[in-house]
């Protein structure tokens, strides 16, 4: 596809999305529920045909020599599709927050002023690999009354086309515009450049993928971006704390899964509990093959743990998102140093304090400058499902607009509503 | 000042602001109140010295041949300073919303999840002309627990320096860091380019001034911008409506003051009430010297109004922000055409419907895509004071983050708070 035709294509998608967004914004709650339930039904009914399309992507991926774990991420198994269908039904069952009016208060002039929750308008989503993201994004877009333009990875283009066709079928069945969810049909890379530079049509861009992709999009976008950069998450073991609980939670936060962005990458330990806590967690990590990169004081204690794989932490380690069986370990004076260290090195994603001290917990919650701050819980909980958002379109590490897991609410905006009886300004 | 030293200066201001923002974020409500009250006291106590500094700006402005209305906007009269002092006291008296926790709910895993309101961090404000904006921005920054870097216009540099010195004196008196409010001390234009491109220090930029300034800053900024572009506000006179009230409100919306962004620029009139309403409002506008640029149908009715200054509206008129005694007038079929016209031509600032019909009112509120939507009230009410925000730092015509008048809340962000008792993810 040449540059002119890609540009024309994207303009067409944009203007269609904009037109559809006006209809979506005034769609009734029941209509959106109908579309979501219909989509769930279609996903279940079309497992076989979806797998036929998916097989084309899998074949192409294997022919290109993609590693098997990467091929796995592309697979639309019956289980993956059932999870997608259930996700649609869960969203359908949630209360509709569009049109909600908050804080209506009478002012001295007599007017009453409140805020109404409305959709953002049109969002563009750019993602890689897993085709089920197509359904997650589409269903959140429908529930939130937005229109969206989806740009999946070229490796999943056949699966994404088949899924997007079902989404449009569901929209039409509910009396909603098919253009409310459009997939960019070409794998031309120029389409991304166009999508992020159409402020007349697109209100926000949501990239999901590697850090490189997100940094490039943020730098070049002409519209706001909901960014999710890295997750260098910390767990701080305070003095005083419940040592047994701290071992259990620090274990889970690091080892329950290594690849998610909410896994703990750095363990801070208050000096007062280090000699009791570190040998215990060290033994757990050693048994699971987790390498520990420590400050000299931590290494001295860990030296006595049988089978522990340790090495000195460098300055770079404190800022690193490993996404692997590696953890950095630092002994700190207490809550002050822990907060200062986190605010310096963290990527502002998710941090937890394990403590029994009320004041320390309150200070940690208030002073740690991250999207999610936790007391006595595993950082692995930081996601939209666990937070009760129904689904998430991404996790924002920005402070602007949406912070942390972004669900339906993050895709909305508040406008002021003023009700009067003929008041004038004097 | 050469390029290197401006760059060094801005880096220093940035890193100082960032450091101060951490202290402001944890400052107690009483401390911030103390700083605001002290600032009010200092403003009242220093009227004479402030006027000495202000006189330098006024002299320079007159020497440069600035028009007298522009010179007027620069003036720090005792009345202007008293208004500034009262503004600080009003903010001091408002509840402190920092640290507020909302929506805390237990999830199936056992963790409780809510959101805590926290300051954004550091904002940069770029403004022109009126030096009292320095106090408005500083006081909002203090109340919201942020740090800020203020860049006023070169024409007010002496006044701004004197005001900023008082702000820092008030901060220090309350035990807060002086760097929480810093004025860019140079009038070098390169400083603006630096200020909007320091994502490591500055979280958001708020420009206040002409459309050209705001468009340039939005295009070049490397951080989010809270934009206020133009205010092409509409008043729609519905069928049915209370004609006498409609005349009163449409008069006020257009003529109470011509220069504000919330003044009505375009009047839409339902055909069913046009022959009764238009001659009445036409006579009011004619008496006040307001030129009416109408569609052919409106012009035919207005032709019978004695003394009316009319001419045909061009396509450009529908999109125009006059800020002058000019109004465009269009007859429409009813609420559908009114909504469609507004969503096409409006700048998404503020629109009002004057009606007695409940369904029409509800549809207008929901479907008009603007920052403020009103029923039976003058568009002139769209501002932070009238909305009960205590003060406003600007009016956002964007949908992202803050929409409409931006007060303390618009300068905050919500982070997730998770409280557990040792829960782990399974």
């Amino acid at each position: 596809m040449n540059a002119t035709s890609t540009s024309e294509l994207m303009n067409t998608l944009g203007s269609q999305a904009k037109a559809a967004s006006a209809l979506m914004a005034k769609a009734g709650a029941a209509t959106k529920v109908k579309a979501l339930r219909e989509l769930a039904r279609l996903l279940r009914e079309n497992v076989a045909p979806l797998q036929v399309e998916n097989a084309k992507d899998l074949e192409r991926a294997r022919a290109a020599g993609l590693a098997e774990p990467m091929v796995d991420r592309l697979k639309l198994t019956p289980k993956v599709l059932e999870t997608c269908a259930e996700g649609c039904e869960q969203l359908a069952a949630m209360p509709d927050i569009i049109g909600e009016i908050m804080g209506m208060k009478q002012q001295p002039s007599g007017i009453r002023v409140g805020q109404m929750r409305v959709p953002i308008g049109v969002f563009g989503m750019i993602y890689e690999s897993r085709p089920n993201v197509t359904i997650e994004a589409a269903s959140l877009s429908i529930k939130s009354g937005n229109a969206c333009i989806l740009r999946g990875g070229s490796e999943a283009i056949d699966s994404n086309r088949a899924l997007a066709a079902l989404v449009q079928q569901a929209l039409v069945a509910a009396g909603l515009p098919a253009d409310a969810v459009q997939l960019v049909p070409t794998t031309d890379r120029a389409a991304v450049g166009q999508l992020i530079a159409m402020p007349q049509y697109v209100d926000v861009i949501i990239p999901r993928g590697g850090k490189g992709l997100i940094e490039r999009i943020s730098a070049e976008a002409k519209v706001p971006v909901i960014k999710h950069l890295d997750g260098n998450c910390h767990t701080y073991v305070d003095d005083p704390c419940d040592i047994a609980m701290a071992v259990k939670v620090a274990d889970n936060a690091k080892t329950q899964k290594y690849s998610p962005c909410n896994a703990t990458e750095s363990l801070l330990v208050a000096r007062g509990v280090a000699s009791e806590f570190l040998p215990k967690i060290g033994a757990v990590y050693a048994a699971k093959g987790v390498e520990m990169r420590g400050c000299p004081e931590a290494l001295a204690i860990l030296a006595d743990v049988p089978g522990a794989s340790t090495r000195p932490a460098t300055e770079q380690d404190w800022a690193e998102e490993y996404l692997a069986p590696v953890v950095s370990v630092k002994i700190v004076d207490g809550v002050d140093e822990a907060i200062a260290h986190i605010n310096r090195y963290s990527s502002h994603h998710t941090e937890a304090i394990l403590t029994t001290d009320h004041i320390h917990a309150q200070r940690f919650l208030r002073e740690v400058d991250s999207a999610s701050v936790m007391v006595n819980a595993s950082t692995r909980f930081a996601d939209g499902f666990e937070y009760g958002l129904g689904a998430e379109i991404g996790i924002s590490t920005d402070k602007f607009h949406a912070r942390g897991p972004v669900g339906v609410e993050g895709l909305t905006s508040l406008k002021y509503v003023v009700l009067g009886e003929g008041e004038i300004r004097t």
Side-chain angles (χ1 to χ4, degrees), chain A:
Chain A
M1 190 167 267
N2 64 38
T4 314
S5 59
T6 297
S7 166
E8 273 169 20
L9 166 72
M10 295 311 293
N11 256 298
T12 304
L13 294 185
S15 77
Q16 287 174 174
K18 180 92 178 167
S21 74
L23 299 172
M24 289 302 288
K26 62 178 178 180
T31 308
K32 293 182 277 179
V33 164
K34 192 174 169 194
L36 289 168
R37 293 216 172 113
E38 179 65 8
L39 177 53
R41 199 185 65 74
L42 287 170
L43 287 167
R44 290 188 178 113
E45 199 178 83
N46 287 277
V47 171
L50 285 168
Q51 290 197 294
V52 170
E53 295 306 306
N54 184 233
K56 298 179 190 169
D57 290 330
L58 300 179
E59 244 170 73
R60 226 175 27 247
R62 290 201 180 96
L66 220 65
E68 204 55 29
M70 290 301 289
V71 175
D72 267 351
R73 299 184 67 196
L74 282 177
K75 273 186 194 159
L76 288 180
T77 62
K79 185 163 169 267
V80 166
L81 290 168
E82 176 57 27
T83 304
C84 287
E86 282 170 10
C88 293
E89 286 172 339
Q90 277 169 24
L91 271 176
M94 288 181 72
D96 195 296
I97 61 173
I98 298 302
E100 175 189 14
I101 294 184
M102 284 158 286
M104 184 65 74
K105 289 193 189 75
Q106 194 173 29
Q107 302 301 323
S109 63
I111 59 172
R112 281 167 296 144
V113 180
Q115 287 179 295
M116 183 192 283
R117 192 172 290 287
V118 292
I120 286 262
V122 176
F123 69 88
M125 173 119 179
I126 298 159
Y127 52 104
E128 295 168 334
S129 198
R130 295 186 307 122
N132 39 325
V133 174
T134 303
I135 298 300
E136 289 172 22
S139 56
L140 271 167
S141 183
I142 294 169
K143 184 73 181 187
S144 58
N146 287 288
C148 66
I149 301 175
L150 306 177
R151 162 65 183 218
S154 56
E155 67 285 0
I157 185 78
D158 286 295
S159 311
N160 286 336
R161 277 191 191 127
L163 290 167
L166 293 185
V167 173
Q168 296 201 324
Q169 204 178 318
L171 284 164
V172 171
L176 291 169
D179 292 338
V181 177
Q182 297 177 100
L183 180 79
V184 177
T186 166
T187 57
D188 180 0
R189 277 167 163 269
V192 173
Q194 298 275 342
L195 180 59
I196 65 176
M198 307 194 294
Q200 69 278 34
Y201 299 133
V202 176
D203 296 289
V204 58
I205 291 287
I206 306 170
R208 244 166 91 168
K211 200 173 170 180
L213 170 82
I214 291 165
E215 284 180 335
R216 201 170 61 246
I217 285 170
S218 305
E220 293 168 15
K222 302 288 179 212
V223 297
V225 175
I226 294 182
K227 278 197 286 295
H228 171 190
L229 288 169
D230 42 354
N232 176 23
C233 304
H234 293 72
T235 295
Y236 165 58
V237 180
D238 191 35
D239 175 16
C241 73
D242 173 335
I243 297 283
M245 185 233 271
V247 172
K248 181 181 74 165
V249 174
D251 172 21
N252 183 265
K254 180 66 231 175
T255 72
Q256 195 251 345
K257 224 172 173 182
Y258 296 112
S259 60
C261 55
N262 55 19
T264 285
E265 304 290 15
S266 199
L267 189 65
L268 305 179
V269 183
R271 184 163 291 111
V273 299
S275 62
E276 188 184 356
F277 171 77
L278 263 188
K280 291 184 177 162
I281 194 71
V284 171
Y285 287 163
K288 296 189 176 181
V290 176
E291 181 186 309
M292 291 167 269
R293 303 190 185 169
C295 67
E297 214 179 330
L299 289 181
I301 298 175
L302 291 168
D304 296 332
V305 176
S309 156
T310 62
R311 66 183 221 201
T314 63
E315 175 70 12
Q316 173 57 25
D317 277 305
W318 306 128
E320 190 84 7
E321 181 186 32
Y322 300 116
L323 304 177
V326 181
V327 67
S328 64
V329 183
K330 186 177 168 71
I331 292 183
V332 294
D333 287 341
V335 72
D336 282 306
E337 191 184 348
I339 293 170
H341 178 94
I342 290 171
N343 284 341
R344 173 159 180 203
Y345 291 104
S346 153
S347 63
H348 310 292
H349 189 297
T350 300
E351 333 291 343
I353 182 174
L354 311 181
T355 188
T356 53
D357 185 287
H358 181 72
I359 309 288
H360 291 182
Q362 293 301 316
R363 288 202 43 212
F364 191 91
L365 289 178
R366 175 130 185 205
E367 296 176 29
V368 169
D369 184 25
S370 294
S372 289
V373 285
M374 304 183 165
V375 178
N376 296 333
S378 168
T379 56
R380 288 281 292 110
F381 280 114
D383 85 39
F385 291 96
E386 295 293 341
Y387 283 6
L389 308 183
E392 76 181 23
I393 197 114
I395 297 182
S396 167
T397 51
D398 273 334
K399 292 187 198 179
F400 207 65
H401 187 72
R403 196 172 185 188
V406 179
V408 173
E409 199 174 297
L411 295 172
T412 66
S413 164
L414 296 173
K415 68 181 178 190
Y416 279 99
V417 167
V418 176
L419 302 180
E421 298 177 13
E423 282 81 359
I424 58 172
R425 184 106 179 243
T426 48

